[in-house]
Structures are given as C-alpha cells and as structure tokens.
Amino acid sequence: MPSSTDNSLTERPDGTIPDLRDRLPKLTPRRRPAPPVNPLPVPETPNLPPPPELSTLKFQKPTRRILSPKDHDLFLSSPTYKLLLAFVFGLTDSVVDTPISAVKDGDLSPAFKNILDILDKIEDVVERSPPEEQGDSRFGNKGFRDFLDLAAKEHLGWHEQLGVAPAEAITEISTYFLQSFGNRTRIDYGSGHELNFMIWLLCLYQLRIITPSDFRPLVLKVFTRYLTLMRRIQSTYYLEPAGSHGVWGLDDYQFLPFLFGSSQLLHHPFIRPLSIHQSLILEEYGNEYLYLGQINFVNSVKNVEGLRWHSPMLDDISSAKSWSKVEAGMRRMFVAEVLKKLPVMQHFMFGSLVPAVEEMSREEEYGVPSEEEDPEGGEVVVMVDGMRHVHQMNSWGDCCGIKVPSSVAAAQEMKKRMGGGGEGLRRIPFD
C-alpha cells in the first residue's frame, strides 16, 4: 500500500487525479538475436556454354594438371570451373520437384537407351569378374582389378555404338568412364570418381550426343542407374572410401544423390528434412527421391542403428527448416568440399573436351605417375620448389595415414557370419 505521504497519488486541489502514464517505465520488447548468416553465399548457376566446334579439337588422353596449390587456383578461376558448375547445377535445376517415376522409359531417346545399355553391360562385367577369396578382409578385393581390366577391353564397341568418333575421342572420354567406378591401384572409390562419371556425361554434351533438354532424364534415369550399379560394385569388391572423413563425413562414397535429391524435394507438400528419420517415409518414397534412397542405403550398410550415431552430419542437416536450406547447403558443399578441395581435385583429369589452363603443371614435368598408376589415395601431391611432396590430409588439413575399411564390407561380412550361424563380426568403431 502506498504511504499516506506519497504526494504522487494524492488528489489535486481541483479534485482531479494526476496522469501517471509518464511516471511508469516504458516497456520495450526484447530483441531476438538475428539468425546466423552463412558467410558463404549460395553459388550461382553459370550459363552453360555451347559445345565447342569439333573441328577445333585435338583429342588427347586426359592427364592430371592440378599438381600444386597454384594449379588449383588457376583451375578455380578458369572457364572449365564455370563449365563444371554450369553442368552440375544445370542438372540439379532440371529435377526440381520431380520424382524419378516422372520420366518414362518410352520417352527416352536412342542415345539414352545406348547409355543405359552400356551401364547394363558394366553390370554384366561384374557378373563375369567374381571377387577373390581373401578371408574376412574388409578392405578392397583384388577382383576389382579384373573387373576394370575386362571393362577396359570391351568399352571400345560400347562407345562406337553411342556414336563417339574418332578413336582418339573414345580414348579421351573413356578415361573418365573407366575412372568413374573407382581406382584400380588403390581399390577405392569416392566423390572424385563420382565426379568422373559427371565428366563422362559432360563430354557427351561437348560431343553433341546429349543436349540440355536431356538433363532431366540424365539425372533421373542415367545417374540413378549408375548409383544402383555402384552399390553393386561396392558390395561386390568392398571398395575402400577414398579420402573418407569417417563418421564425420556426409557419406563414405557419394555426394551427388544429396544435391540432386534435395532439389527433387524442394517444395514437397509433406516430406520434410526431418522425414529421413521415419522408416515408413523412406520405405514408401526411397525409390522416388535420390536423397531418401541414399539414406536407405546408408542405413542398410551401417552396423549401428540411427543416423545420429553413424552419420551425424546427415542427422544435423535433417534439422533444417526446409529443403531449400538443404539444397543451398549442398550447393555450397559441392563447391567447398569437392571443387575447392585439393585432395579431391588433384585427381581430376583434363583433356580437349574439359581443357586445362595452359600454365598449369604437367605430369611429365615432375615424373608424377598417371592417375591409374598412382598408389597414393586421398593425399595431396604438391610440387614445392620443384620437389614432389605428399601430404595425407583429411578435411581439416591434418595428416592421417590410416586405411579406412569399407562399411559395406563390414555389413556384408556380418551377413555372411550370421547366415552361417557364426558369431557376428566385431564392429569397427564409428563405421
């Protein structure tokens, strides 16, 4: 109760009560902190340049040209860098809000049917190249080399059927094709090999065999077929992850299913990023959307249940409010974790269809082995003062020479053990 001596509440001589509004403290709403702003802008899709005049090209076997940080910087400011962005992001834009079933087999051109037939023939080569017996090893199976050798013998006719000519052009683009299934020497596979498949398709665009109007079926038919094929190859030959980040990476092997898949789901009416934790959604829609299908595959080959434990980055991404946030992040990641990562791009090869900057280094200048023969995987081979220097690096720039076992192999070996009534395979921490 106010004191009787408090003059502020007493009546005025004229009997009116004073206005106390000015005496009350002003209530100001609390300012909510601004949401964090990603310092990396979403990469724009450059205009896709028209294919070159074939008469101006001198076909050649592709070689590595990114042999130093300077070479990498030259690449990042080159027309070829913009060409890659335009092609991959153009494919991404072509499948916005589009399920896989939207493209019917009857709508495919003869060129597409030939491409799909080539991938079917690769699967037949897998059938004819069984893995070697090597105990319970979870590392690469040497039968993979027999598979690649047989594919190298038979691909000439496949490319001729596709309409690739002359023979020098087949030599050039088949280098990317054969490298898109993994490395023969290291028996590993990663996002760099996946990128080689994109470069093979880009070469078909440069040769005018496919056009921008073909981009949607290129993702929803051709890339999905390649993805299924790679899962078969990974589970058959236990390919090791190339330069894997382990449990802290997005995925042991693939990146593009998440980029293309988030674009497919961009404005979906009820599937949200958090839906990847719902088994019914994954079961019902995994065959329609690349993102969900890849989550299904990742879950199937891990020995621990729950993305939170075996794929925390995918788990973190699922908390995004919309697919537009996820898709923008995947675009940033493609640039930052693939094109701008020297450990990945040092394996990139340049020819006439995907040209290098003239000032970039050459393998023969430093006696660097070709990509097919180089035994070093996931390392950075840099030239320092004319000397070849190798750093084994992960995404944080630390050195780590530990070979990473295949999680696919671990899952397959456990199935074999359990199927035979034996004791389950001991888990690899975080595999």
Side-chain angles (χ1 to χ4, degrees), residues 92 194 223 227 231 249-265 276 289-298 307 311 313-314 317 323 326-331 333:
T92 306
E194 180 185 60
F223 181 74
L227 200 56
R231 290 168 184 166
L250 184 65
D251 183 273
D252 280 345
Y253 298 110
Q254 315 293 159
F255 173 79
L256 292 176
F258 300 104
L259 174 60
F260 297 152
S262 57
S263 182
Q264 285 182 281
L265 291 161
I276 67 172
Y289 298 98
L290 289 165
Y291 198 106
L292 304 182
Q294 191 63 22
I295 295 290
N296 259 337
F297 180 71
V298 170
L307 290 172
S311 303
M313 182 178 286
L314 290 174
I317 292 171
W323 285 112
V326 177
E327 196 247 14
M330 292 299 168
R331 287 176 182 256
M333 191 175 289

Side-chain angles (χ1 to χ4, degrees), residues 12 121 174 195 198 234 273 278 296 303 336 341 350 413:
R12 293 177 178 173
K121 289 174 178 175
S174 65
L195 183 60
M198 287 293 107
Q234 289 157 11
Q278 300 173 16
N296 259 337
N303 292 332
K341 272 291 187 289
F350 299 85
E413 289 296 333

Side-chain angles (χ1 to χ4, degrees), residues 8-36:
S8 64
L9 297 180
T10 59
E11 292 185 2
R12 293 177 178 173
D14 59 3
T16 61
I17 297 176
D19 187 356
L20 303 179
R21 286 179 298 181
D22 294 335
R23 297 178 179 270
L24 295 175
K26 293 184 178 179
L27 300 178
T28 56
R30 292 182 180 178
R31 293 183 179 179
R32 294 184 178 180

Side-chain angles (χ1 to χ4, degrees), residues 41-56:
V42 179
E44 296 182 358
T45 303
N47 293 325
L48 183 66
E53 288 296 329
L54 300 184
S55 59
T56 65

Side-chain angles (χ1 to χ4, degrees), residues 12-194:
R12 293 177 178 173
D14 59 3
T16 61
I17 297 176
D19 187 356
L20 303 179
R21 286 179 298 181
D22 294 335
R23 297 178 179 270
L24 295 175
K26 293 184 178 179
L27 300 178
T28 56
R30 292 182 180 178
R31 293 183 179 179
R32 294 184 178 180
V37 178
N38 195 314
L40 297 175
V42 179
E44 296 182 358
T45 303
N47 293 325
L48 183 66
E53 288 296 329
L54 300 184
S55 59
T56 65
L57 299 177
K58 184 178 180 181
F59 296 110
Q60 56 189 277
K61 184 176 176 61
T63 59
R64 291 186 294 179
R65 301 288 299 274
I66 300 178
L67 301 177
S68 70
K70 178 184 176 183
D71 296 332
H72 194 207
D73 291 339
L74 287 171
F75 162 73
L76 293 175
S77 60
S78 71
T80 295
Y81 171 75
K82 292 182 179 179
L83 174 65
L84 276 176
L85 276 188
F87 185 70
V88 173
F89 286 170
L91 292 172
T92 306
D93 294 336
S94 73
V95 296
V96 170
D97 299 333
T98 309
I100 291 172
S101 61
V103 177
K104 309 299 181 185
D105 290 341
D107 300 334
L108 299 178
S109 67
F112 271 86
K113 292 176 180 177
N114 285 333
I115 294 172
L116 292 172
D117 184 55
I118 288 175
L119 297 180
D120 289 340
K121 289 174 178 175
I122 283 289
E123 186 148 23
D124 178 65
V125 173
V126 176
E127 291 281 354
R128 292 183 281 133
S129 309
E132 294 184 3
E133 286 293 333
Q134 53 185 46
D136 288 341
S137 174
R138 304 190 212 179
F139 296 95
N141 189 289
K142 295 178 181 177
F144 177 69
R145 293 170 180 159
D146 298 331
F147 154 73
L148 278 184
D149 291 344
L150 187 55
K153 289 179 182 177
E154 299 185 2
H155 76 82
L156 180 62
W158 306 343
H159 283 91
E160 289 175 345
Q161 179 184 347
L162 194 54
V164 180
E168 292 81 6
I170 295 179
T171 299
E172 178 164 337
I173 77 168
S174 65
T175 302
Y176 299 110
F177 178 73
L178 295 173
Q179 278 289 317
S180 68
F181 304 110
N183 183 273
R184 184 186 183 281
T185 302
R186 302 185 297 268
I187 315 182
D188 65 6
Y189 177 88
S191 56
H193 301 100
E194 180 185 60

Side-chain angles (χ1 to χ4, degrees), residues 324-345:
S324 61
K325 294 278 189 184
V326 177
E327 196 247 14
M330 292 299 168
R331 287 176 182 256
R332 291 188 188 97
M333 191 175 289
F334 178 70
V335 171
E337 297 296 328
V338 178
L339 299 184
K340 289 190 175 181
K341 272 291 187 289
L342 186 52
V344 175
M345 295 309 295

Side-chain angles (χ1 to χ4, degrees), residues 247 276-277 282 295 298-299 302 304-316 318:
V247 70
I276 67 172
H277 299 285
L282 295 178
I295 295 290
V298 170
N299 283 334
K302 297 296 184 178
V304 180
E305 289 188 12
L307 290 172
R308 176 184 177 187
W309 304 109
H310 60 67
S311 303
M313 182 178 286
L314 290 174
D315 182 64
D316 288 345
S318 71

